[in-house]
């Protein structure tokens, strides 16, 4: 029986060469005795249990093997596990793959399940290393202006080589060394060196430990404390090497008292425009903002809005415009390319079509407050063109903060929802526009919402005859809005 002795420190090549020689020679898994020895050297194929020299399996120079790529990725992770049985498990799977190429897809297979368990454990250990390494500054390296740092970490498995490139990318501008009982990684700005030799823990401490404690204490929220969940994500075995962990027992013990103290403290009125609560309806269904807010103040505040990621790519916030006491508010979907550049709503092709049709039916835009459900332009690049993309529900929800304030400050008697996105922002409902078009819907609070299509819908109709028919229907909708605008009970239910 071949006895294969490996160093076993996460070196995939070491196992692969031995497994290849065995497999090409047709040695079955049950005939191999895999052993691990950190001081292994010389020939991988050692003596058998009785002390007799075991000859290495014969390998033909022309012999080739093929395996699915997924096995190579899985094996490279599993070999980093500390369980000595990993070599035998990997070889059994490799041997069986020669007869069943779909073996890895059988999650219920015993060998595959054990292999996947090894990989899961290694990946979790790798993630914990990226999360719980704490560097200490050791000063500058001789002849270099780069700052030097050292860290100590105690992984469960041989993951140092797998995780080292992460730290190289993350901390490329400083010299560092991470020592562990299972290997050492070091970066000097030019070369990443990884050794399987055990490292030594540095007894020194520095000011960064106080920074970690300050940071951890500042983000700790006793009202959201869940001890089991915290220990699951931050297991106790790592605490001894985390400077902030010394604070945890006292924080847990004092959490209940801290929550009680928070509840007893009087609430303070937040600065204008920074309150993260919606304006609330009064007894008559009107939305009432803070008495300090004006429409111009809110417009200025919205110019710096970062409530959702859409602000990252947009040129500017496109806020609503029109009389602050307009009886009718027009709500579209979002700014388009031209609106984004100009900083004004409804100035692009759809806006011009709206103006034309509104003028035809006697609806004066200057008397309307015109805005959008979403205040930033969402798009994707196609060459040099920026093509419109529909805002998702989360983006609409974030921007509803500004729409609610516009409604509360303008106090329109009727709101016109042009398109599904506007209707969702105003009512929270998602009916088909065709089913409710021309109707007035009444939300739980606020004015009635008249439903019609967005003028961009008309511009997208390829057939000229149908486009003309739909434009005429849109004109009838706006004519109905003009009629309602002149009615004293506009927007009132019943």
């Amino acid at each position: 029986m071949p006895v294969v002795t490996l160093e076993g420190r996460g070196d995939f090549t070491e196992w692969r060469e031995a497994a290849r020689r065995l497999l090409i020679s047709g040695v079955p898994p049950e005939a191999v005795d895999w052993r691990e020895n950190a001081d292994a050297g010389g020939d991988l194929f050692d003596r058998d249990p009785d002390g007799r020299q075991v000859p290495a399996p014969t390998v033909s120079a022309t012999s080739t093997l093929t395996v699915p790529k997924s096995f190579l990725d899985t094996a490279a992770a599993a070999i980093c596990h500390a369980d000595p049985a990993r070599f035998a498990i990997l070889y059994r799977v490799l041997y069986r793959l020669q007869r069943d190429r779909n073996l890895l897809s059988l999650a219920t297979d015993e060998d595959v399940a054990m292999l996947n368990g090894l990989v899961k454990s290694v990946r979790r250990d790798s993630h914990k290393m990226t999360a719980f390494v704490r560097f200490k500054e050791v000063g500058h390296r001789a002849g270099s202006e780069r700052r030097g740092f050292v860290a100590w970490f105690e992984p469960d498995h041989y993951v140092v080589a797998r995780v080292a490139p992460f730290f190289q990318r993350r901390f490329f501008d400083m010299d560092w060394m991470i020592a562990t009982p299972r290997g050492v990684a070091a970066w000097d700005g030019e070369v990443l060196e990884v050794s399987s030799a055990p490292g030594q823990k540095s007894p020194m401490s520095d000011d960064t430990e106080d920074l970690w404690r300050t940071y951890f204490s500042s983000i700790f929220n006793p009202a959201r404390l869940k001890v089991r969940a915290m220990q699951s994500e931050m297991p106790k075995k790592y605490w001894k090497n985390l400077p902030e962990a010394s604070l945890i027992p006292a924080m847990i013990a004092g959490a209940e008292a801290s929550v009680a103290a928070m509840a007893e403290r009087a609430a303070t009125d937040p600065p204008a425009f920074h309150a993260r609560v919606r304006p609330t309806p009064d007894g008559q269904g009107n939305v009432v903002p803070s008495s300090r807010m004006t429409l111009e103040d809110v417009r200025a505040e919205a110019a710096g809005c970062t409530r959702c990621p859409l602000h990252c790519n947009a040129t500017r916030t496109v806020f609503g415009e029109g009389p602050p006491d307009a009886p009718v508010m027009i709500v579209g979907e979002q700014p388009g390319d031209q609106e984004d550049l100009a900083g004004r709503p409804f100035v692009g092709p759809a806006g011009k079509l709206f103006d034309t049709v509104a003028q035809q039916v006697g609806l004066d835009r200057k008397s309307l407050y015109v805005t959008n459900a979403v205040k930033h332009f969402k798009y994707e690049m196609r060459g040099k063109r920026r093509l419109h993309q529909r805002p998702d529900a989360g983006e609409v929800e974030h921007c509803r903060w500004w729409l609610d304030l516009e409604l509360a400050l303008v106090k329109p008697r009727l709101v016109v929802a042009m398109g599904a996105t506007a209707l969702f922002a105003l009512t929270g409902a998602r009916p088909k526009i065709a089913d409710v078009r021309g109707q007035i819907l009444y939300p739980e609070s606020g004015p009635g919402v008249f439903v019609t299509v967005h003028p961009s819908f008309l511009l997208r109709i390829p057939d000229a005859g149908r486009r003309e028919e739909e434009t005429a229907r849109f004109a009838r909708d706006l004519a109905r809005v003009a009629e309602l605008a002149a009615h004293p009970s506009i927007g009132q239910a019943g």
Side-chain angles (χ1 to χ4, degrees), residues 44-117:
L44 295 175
F45 295 88
D46 212 333
R47 298 179 180 274
D48 65 16
D50 296 325
R52 295 188 298 271
Q53 183 71 35
V54 177
T58 303
V59 179
S60 168
T62 59
S63 300
T64 59
L65 294 173
T66 59
V67 293
K69 183 180 182 302
S70 58
F71 174 75
L72 294 177
D73 297 336
T74 299
I79 206 68
C80 297
H81 203 281
D83 187 349
R86 65 192 182 280
F87 306 127
I89 295 172
L90 279 168
Y91 187 63
R92 284 201 303 271
V93 173
L94 175 63
Y95 191 86
R96 294 176 60 193
L97 276 171
Q98 307 310 303
R99 295 162 177 78
D100 183 2
R101 305 289 289 184
N102 298 317
L103 175 63
L104 293 180
S105 64
L106 303 177
T108 57
D109 181 87
E110 184 177 359
D111 288 335
V112 174
M114 286 191 292
L115 181 59
N116 289 338

Side-chain angles (χ1 to χ4, degrees), residues 318-322 335 339 342-348 351 355 365 370-372:
V318 181
F319 205 71
E321 65 179 24
E339 287 85 355
R344 296 182 57 209
F346 282 73
V347 295
D355 287 345
R365 171 163 173 169
V370 181
T371 189
N372 285 294

Side-chain angles (χ1 to χ4, degrees), residues 241-477:
N241 296 316
L242 300 176
E244 67 269 30
S246 62
L247 305 176
I248 294 176
M251 286 182 167
I252 293 176
E256 185 174 350
S258 297
V259 172
M262 291 168 59
E264 291 176 0
R265 286 195 293 268
T268 58
D269 196 10
F273 325 122
H274 289 281
R276 288 302 183 250
V277 296
R278 291 253 195 100
T280 54
D282 63 9
Q284 297 179 349
N286 298 313
V287 181
V288 181
S290 166
S291 60
R292 294 170 297 177
M293 296 181 183
T294 68
L295 195 59
E296 289 304 316
D297 290 335
V298 176
R299 178 181 287 107
E301 182 69 14
C305 178
T306 59
R307 292 177 63 85
C308 77
L310 291 186
H311 77 278
C312 297
N313 296 323
T315 304
R316 57 177 57 84
T317 303
V318 181
F319 205 71
E321 65 179 24
D325 57 351
V328 177
M329 178 182 289
I330 307 293
V331 181
E333 179 185 79
Q334 67 158 351
D337 180 76
Q338 294 186 31
E339 287 85 355
D340 174 71
L341 297 174
R344 296 182 57 209
F346 282 73
V347 295
K352 292 175 181 177
L353 177 59
F354 170 80
D355 287 345
T356 299
V357 176
Q359 185 178 13
Q360 291 173 355
V361 300
L363 192 61
D364 184 5
R365 171 163 173 169
K366 293 181 180 179
S367 68
L368 308 172
Y369 186 89
V370 181
T371 189
N372 285 294
V374 174
K375 312 302 185 189
H376 285 115
F377 181 31
K378 182 177 182 179
Y379 63 89
E380 64 176 350
M381 294 301 298
R382 292 284 181 86
K384 295 183 179 181
R385 297 179 60 198
R386 301 191 299 175
L387 297 186
H388 162 278
Q389 284 189 308
R390 182 187 295 273
D392 61 35
E395 291 155 352
V396 173
E397 180 64 29
H398 279 99
C399 224
R400 192 177 294 171
W401 164 260
W402 302 113
L403 183 59
D404 280 350
L405 286 175
E406 288 178 299
L407 288 166
L409 291 166
V410 176
K411 297 183 178 63
R413 289 183 287 144
L414 180 70
V415 181
V416 179
M418 295 204 303
T421 299
L423 182 59
F424 173 66
L426 290 163
T427 66
R430 292 182 176 230
K432 291 183 178 180
I433 293 297
D435 294 340
V436 294
R437 183 174 180 179
Q439 300 179 24
I440 300 179
L441 307 182
Y442 296 93
E444 293 182 1
S445 62
V449 177
F450 183 89
V451 185
T452 186
V453 296
H454 195 282
S456 62
F457 161 73
L458 307 175
L459 296 176
R460 293 193 298 267
I461 299 176
D463 180 76
R466 181 167 177 262
R467 182 168 62 251
E468 183 178 352
E469 179 182 338
E470 288 293 339
T471 301
R473 186 180 177 189
F474 180 64
R476 291 195 294 273
D477 288 343

Side-chain angles (χ1 to χ4, degrees), residues 104-230:
L104 293 180
S105 64
L106 303 177
T108 57
D109 181 87
E110 184 177 359
D111 288 335
V112 174
M114 286 191 292
L115 181 59
N116 289 338
L118 296 177
V119 172
K120 182 178 180 180
S121 183
V122 167
R123 288 176 176 168
R124 178 175 175 80
D125 202 34
S126 300
H127 170 70
K128 294 303 182 186
M129 183 170 177
T130 64
F132 297 139
V133 161
R134 298 291 183 263
F135 286 105
K136 302 175 182 179
E137 188 169 5
V138 294
H140 297 278
R141 179 163 52 93
S144 173
E145 296 183 356
R146 293 161 59 89
R147 301 166 68 191
F149 295 83
V150 297
W152 172 257
F153 185 72
E154 298 179 22
D156 293 331
H157 308 296
Y158 298 99
V159 298
V160 175
R162 288 179 61 85
V163 183
F166 165 84
F167 289 99
Q168 177 190 3
R169 294 189 300 270
R170 188 74 176 269
F171 305 110
F172 69 93
D173 58 345
M174 70 185 201
D175 296 343
W176 52 261
M177 181 182 71
I178 302 174
T180 81
R182 300 181 183 275
V184 178
W187 168 251
D188 63 2
E190 296 181 359
V191 179
L192 177 64
E193 294 184 354
V194 180
S195 169
S196 61
Q200 293 184 344
K201 183 178 181 180
S202 171
M204 65 174 294
S205 61
D206 69 347
D207 293 340
T208 58
E209 294 189 356
D210 290 333
L211 288 175
W212 274 111
R213 282 187 280 267
T214 300
Y215 168 74
F216 190 73
S217 61
S218 67
I219 65 170
F220 179 75
N221 184 349
R224 298 178 64 87
L225 175 64
K226 295 182 179 179
V227 177
R228 288 187 179 181
M230 181 196 70

